[in-house]
Amino acid sequence: MKSFLSLCLLTVLSATAQAEVRLLTSIKPLQLIAAAVQDGVGQPDVLLPPGASPHHYALRPSDVRRVGEADLLYWIGPDLEGFLPRVLSGRSAPSVAVQSLPGLQLRHFAEGHEHAGADEDHDEHDHAHRPGTLDAHLWLLPANARVIATQMAAALAAADPSNAARYQANLKAFEQRLGALDQRLKQRLQAVAGKPYFVFHEAFDYFEAAYGLEHAGVFSVAAEVQPGARHVAAMRARLQQAGPSCVFSEPPLRPRLAETLSAGLPVKLAELDALGSGVAVDAQGYERLLSNLAESLGGCLEAL
């Protein structure tokens, strides 16, 4: 009898362990999508710490261990996290590069985008975002988040069949909330379409395309590079020509160049956080990421 009870306990513990799927994402936006799917079942982890750039991150030994231990790993793909392919080659568990998922709407950097002063320092800007290359900031389109969440729900159900119904219910709720949010954001941003603004990083094209916005220019200077006088003059001339406008940087740091460029001009400085660094990780986190972008854009542009 004692042996039978021990066997039953072992079976229960084994089933419990199976349910605790260790899901790791490269960046926080993917973690937020996973949190919506795993709500009430588990908590996804994220590889990059707050404030780290996926373009230039250097893995630590502890990061390599976490990559190896994860049951499921999600990353955008080699067009964003160039530091990951070598480490992922040693994984036996599933790794999903979401940029390759069927059904995603993908954009490529176009010739038509204005980069003020792009004749200098161009190669220093996040892989240069060269025309024709993939724009990997694909998580900022709600339709793409749905595709990613659908794949995550299927993979989690396969790894943890006992909670398959919960993952599907979470996915359905996420899709319904995204639909409602999409309509609210369209109404919120309709009034500011056409107002001029500039960014320091061409990361928001997916969000802009979804909500009828378009930046007037990109001040493409890497944070560690001090731009030349000709570059600064060209960027300031663009701001003067635009008149009242907004200039958006990304946290955690505002480039000192922003203050130099805007001095004496009718320019408002604000932030856009594409990675959701300050967003709590829960079932509604991804929606707050998008809402925060809309509020930052709408609030600044409405005040012009």
Side-chain angles (χ1 to χ4, degrees):
M1 183 67 176
K2 188 175 181 180
S3 297
F4 176 74
L5 290 175
S6 298
L7 181 61
C8 290
L9 179 60
L10 188 62
T11 302
V12 170
L13 290 175
S14 176
T16 302
Q18 183 184 12
E20 296 172 357
V21 180
R22 294 170 298 182
L23 190 153
L24 177 67
T25 69
S26 59
I27 59 173
K28 188 168 181 180
L30 293 179
Q31 183 191 24
L32 297 177
I33 296 171
V37 179
Q38 285 192 287
D39 184 39
V41 181
Q43 183 77 358
D45 197 7
V46 65
L47 190 61
L48 267 66
S53 168
H55 294 287
H56 308 298
Y57 188 65
L59 288 168
R60 302 165 298 183
S62 59
D63 296 327
V64 176
R65 286 195 299 272
R66 292 165 67 207
V67 167
E69 293 169 355
D71 298 316
L72 294 172
L73 188 144
Y74 285 83
W75 61 308
I76 297 298
D79 289 271
L80 187 73
E81 307 101 323
F83 60 88
L84 267 180
R86 182 179 60 83
V87 179
L88 293 180
S89 65
R91 269 179 59 81
S92 56
S95 301
V96 179
V98 299
Q99 71 179 52
S100 301
L101 290 178
L104 280 185
Q105 298 179 36
L106 298 178
R107 299 177 60 88
H108 293 78
F109 294 109
E111 295 280 359
H113 282 150
E114 299 266 7
H115 285 71
D119 55 328
E120 296 183 30
D121 307 320
H122 185 69
D123 290 338
E124 299 295 338
H125 177 58
D126 298 337
H127 300 175
H129 288 185
R130 288 180 293 273
T133 60
L134 177 71
D135 182 350
H137 307 89
L138 54 87
W139 65 87
L140 293 180
L141 184 68
N144 285 346
R146 290 190 187 94
V147 173
I148 296 167
T150 299
Q151 203 286 336
M152 286 178 172
L156 285 164
D160 178 19
S162 63
N163 285 306
R166 181 63 182 267
Y167 296 131
Q168 286 301 314
N170 287 345
L171 172 64
K172 184 176 180 180
F174 181 61
E175 291 175 333
Q176 290 174 340
R177 294 196 308 269
L178 274 189
L181 175 66
D182 186 50
Q183 292 303 313
R184 292 198 300 272
L185 296 190
K186 285 176 179 176
Q187 294 175 359
R188 173 74 177 88
L189 295 170
Q190 185 177 15
V192 297
K195 291 194 174 185
Y197 65 94
F198 297 80
V199 295
F200 275 92
H201 177 202
E202 192 171 1
F204 305 98
D205 289 16
Y206 286 93
F207 187 83
E208 293 168 340
Y211 299 109
L213 304 172
E214 185 176 3
H215 56 265
V218 183
F219 298 145
S220 53
V221 183
E224 68 275 12
V225 176
Q226 189 65 29
R230 184 161 62 94
H231 194 155
V232 173
M235 290 189 283
R236 187 169 168 83
R238 290 293 307 281
L239 282 174
Q240 288 175 317
Q241 183 181 16
S245 60
C246 291
V247 172
F248 293 100
S249 58
E250 291 179 78
L253 297 175
R254 173 179 291 171
R256 285 179 295 175
L257 180 60
E259 308 288 346
T260 302
L261 291 174
S262 60
L265 297 178
V267 172
K268 294 184 178 296
L269 302 179
E271 286 187 339
L272 291 176
D273 186 3
L275 292 172
S277 56
V279 174
V281 180
D282 58 31
Q284 287 80 40
Y286 176 77
E287 296 136 68
R288 285 197 297 275
L289 186 157
L290 296 188
S291 295
N292 290 348
L293 287 179
E295 287 305 312
S296 295
L297 278 161
C300 189
L301 294 174
E302 284 170 352
L304 295 179

